[in-house]
Amino acid sequence: MCGIIGKIGKVNCMKDVLEGLKKLEYRGYDSAGVAVFTDEGVKRVRAVGNISALEEKLAGTNLDGRLAVGHSRWATNGNVTEKNAHPHRAGRFTVVHNGIIENAAALKTAYFENDAFESDTDTEVAAKLLDKFYDGDAGRAIRQAQRLMTGSWALGILCDDCPGTLFAAANGSPLLIVKTESGNYIASDAGAAPDPIEVTKVENCEYAAVTADGYTVYNENGDALQKAPLAVAAGALSLDKGGYDHYMMSEIMQQPEAVRRTLEALPDSDFIGDAKEIRLIACGSAYHAGLVGARLFEAVRRIPARAEIASEFRYADPIIGRETLCIFISQSGETADTLAALRLAKEKGAPTLSIVNVPGSAIATESDRVILTQAGREIAVATTKAYSAQLAVFYALALGRSEALSRLPEAIYTAIAENDGKCRRLAERIAGCRNIFFIGRQLDNAVSQEGSLKMKEISYLNSQAYAAGELKHGTISLVEPGSPVIATVTDPAILSKTMSNLHEVKARGAFTIVITTRALAPGLEADVTLTVPDVGPMLAPSVAVIPMQLMSYYTAKALGCEIDKPRNLAKSVTVE
Ligand code: F6R
């Protein structure tokens, strides 16, 4: 949450910082701001809203320079106001920050009791600490401030006395130094800088001094470190909208490729070993992928498995140990609750495996073993291709490789092609409704959870997913004449059970939609039938989720919602 960027080059770089900020906007879009070194010192401009609001404020100012920092904010401490927007300034220091300085209030009382503060943020406390400890040596001031702060931070720092150096410091929040032909960047995500030549991670308690020609990373004692750069991903999946109106649609379309690459890159290794039990721990959509994984491990491998919400798991004092394989699922690899759950599992001696999309991220680095999904960078806040890539990993782990699995990318492609138009038309009807319900049993229930989350997070319509048999135990009272009820029916063994539940809501006036396979479709009664290729019941979540994603996308579009950046959300959730 929150994106930070900075650049130092041989020529003016405001344009590059703004371009980079747009690529980081997925991390938060409550407000945005920049600070730049000019001949008259450091100047900053901040605006509530997204980067275009900032660009409007910058238009006509001619503000530019060879060293600049930028920030896009997801508010944690302090309301969404201009005074709380970054960069923050104190004395000779200007700071952009991602993370939460947990002891900011205590530091404020201890060091600045009588000082006036411009903002309500923890970041201003960091800027004030830097200024307090500054005696002409910015590195020393950073070290002293880092020693006092607790919590997580990635800081981009300008010091008024150092027009040729961009400083950076990190602890628990991602921060990368990216070398490019046109200069050197610091960024929350390497994708914010075009054509990286070399990417280096600033790790916990380290800080860096970056110049136009190079950079040095130091440890907490001020010793210069020899750091090995991370591998720069070659041939990554497209980062633009690919001609679509939104990243989300471009990413939906990239799913066949994301799944194909993930399966190709997956090592042929026994990741499950002799585990007696498996826990799959994650948040949001990644948790929904875990629901599918758990079902598969139990159904096929007959290993007791259960998916758990990371924020619950971490406080549950879970009964786990050497024989419990704990699998952590995360697109970003940064999610605070998932990371804390991983650390807890390690403390308890459980073997850990993570399934992560961002190489070098905290979860990927800290787990015993890691499987990297190859979805490429995902920009839309609502995940699609990363979820699909996670499912592909579970098929390979639980079912093993098969002819059907190798044909899955093609089936996903067909599911998109055959449902796009139908879902667009259906969305017009769904957009006018108050409550939407997704129902299914077993794997169909697991994938319905994801479909429902997709719908509510981008369209803001109230949507709920229920185990089909459970609806009548209370929630059915919300079904009104015309309420869309979307039943997923891909397993012949339980088809008639879910269809009975669909008939129950039809009898109460619901508008019924069924997602099923081509083979099962004939004879199923519903107002609308959406068909997906026959890939077998175990792989079906990967094709069934496609019409759900498309319906959600087109419903949100019909309602004029901000699809790629839904309100109140951020792409990576680095707070509890
Ligand atoms: C929903 C969505 C979120 C994430 C969740 C976990 O579309 O994207 O629910 O799945 O915040 O994030 P990661 O996977 O980065 O740990």
Side-chain angles (χ1 to χ4, degrees), residues 419-438 451-464 480-487 510-515 527-530 545-561:
N419 285 288
D420 187 59
K422 281 189 205 159
C423 289
R424 192 172 337 122
R425 289 188 290 278
L426 203 49
E428 299 290 332
R429 170 85 167 68
I430 296 173
C433 299
R434 288 201 306 180
N435 294 312
I436 301 157
F437 302 89
F438 287 77
S452 174
L453 179 65
K454 243 18 5 134
M455 180 63 83
K456 73 181 112 187
E457 70 177 327
I458 60 169
S459 75
Y460 314 146
L461 295 176
N462 181 33
S463 171
Q464 304 199 30
E480 301 169 322
S483 299
V485 179
I486 301 159
F511 172 60
T512 54
I513 301 167
V514 71
I515 297 175
D527 294 316
V528 176
T529 301
L530 300 171
V545 77
I546 300 295
M548 299 178 189
Q549 294 169 342
L550 292 169
M551 270 189 281
S552 306
Y553 173 81
Y554 286 118
T555 303
K557 200 169 182 193
L559 290 167
C561 299

Side-chain angles (χ1 to χ4, degrees), residues 283-286 329-335 338 381-383 390 450 453-454 457 571-573:
C283 302
S285 296
I329 314 149
S330 176
Q331 187 284 130
S332 63
E334 282 184 38
T335 302
T338 311
V381 165
T383 183
Q390 289 157 357
E450 174 58 7
L453 179 65
K454 243 18 5 134
E457 70 177 327
K571 184 75 181 161
S572 54
V573 183

Side-chain angles (χ1 to χ4, degrees), residues 41-205:
V42 175
K43 306 270 181 222
R44 63 178 169 159
V45 176
R46 302 175 295 169
V48 169
N50 58 21
I51 314 293
S52 40
L54 176 68
E55 281 181 317
E56 271 170 39
K57 274 190 107 172
L58 279 165
T61 62
N62 285 332
L63 208 58
D64 218 332
R66 288 181 293 169
L67 169 54
V69 289
H71 187 270
S72 61
R73 178 170 189 241
W74 191 84
T76 49
N77 276 286
N79 298 341
V80 180
T81 53
E82 188 171 322
K83 73 169 189 174
N84 287 332
H86 300 219
H88 289 283
R89 251 185 93 68
R92 309 192 75 68
F93 285 85
T94 306
V95 175
V96 286
H97 168 214
N98 164 33
I100 294 185
I101 299 163
E102 285 168 359
N103 61 341
L107 291 170
K108 216 166 162 173
T109 314
Y111 291 93
F112 310 110
E113 200 167 21
N114 300 316
D115 284 24
F117 276 73
E118 266 185 18
S119 74
D120 312 314
T121 64
D122 48 347
T123 310
E124 195 181 352
V125 178
K128 278 178 108 54
L129 281 176
L130 291 168
D131 192 53
K132 179 178 173 58
F133 296 129
Y134 183 59
D135 59 1
D137 180 343
R140 185 156 45 225
I142 293 172
R143 287 199 296 280
Q144 283 180 263
Q146 292 226 99
R147 257 176 231 138
L148 285 178
M149 298 187 297
T150 61
S152 66
W153 58 85
L155 299 171
I157 303 163
L158 302 181
C159 171
D160 286 2
D161 296 336
C162 310
T165 311
L166 167 59
F167 295 98
N171 187 60
S173 295
L175 187 59
L176 301 161
I177 301 169
V178 187
K179 259 182 133 172
T180 73
E181 286 290 344
S182 67
N184 294 323
Y185 288 79
I186 58 162
S188 307
D189 173 337
D195 306 320
I197 298 171
E198 188 178 295
V199 178
T200 303
K201 189 170 182 202
V202 185
E203 312 267 358
N204 289 354
C205 302

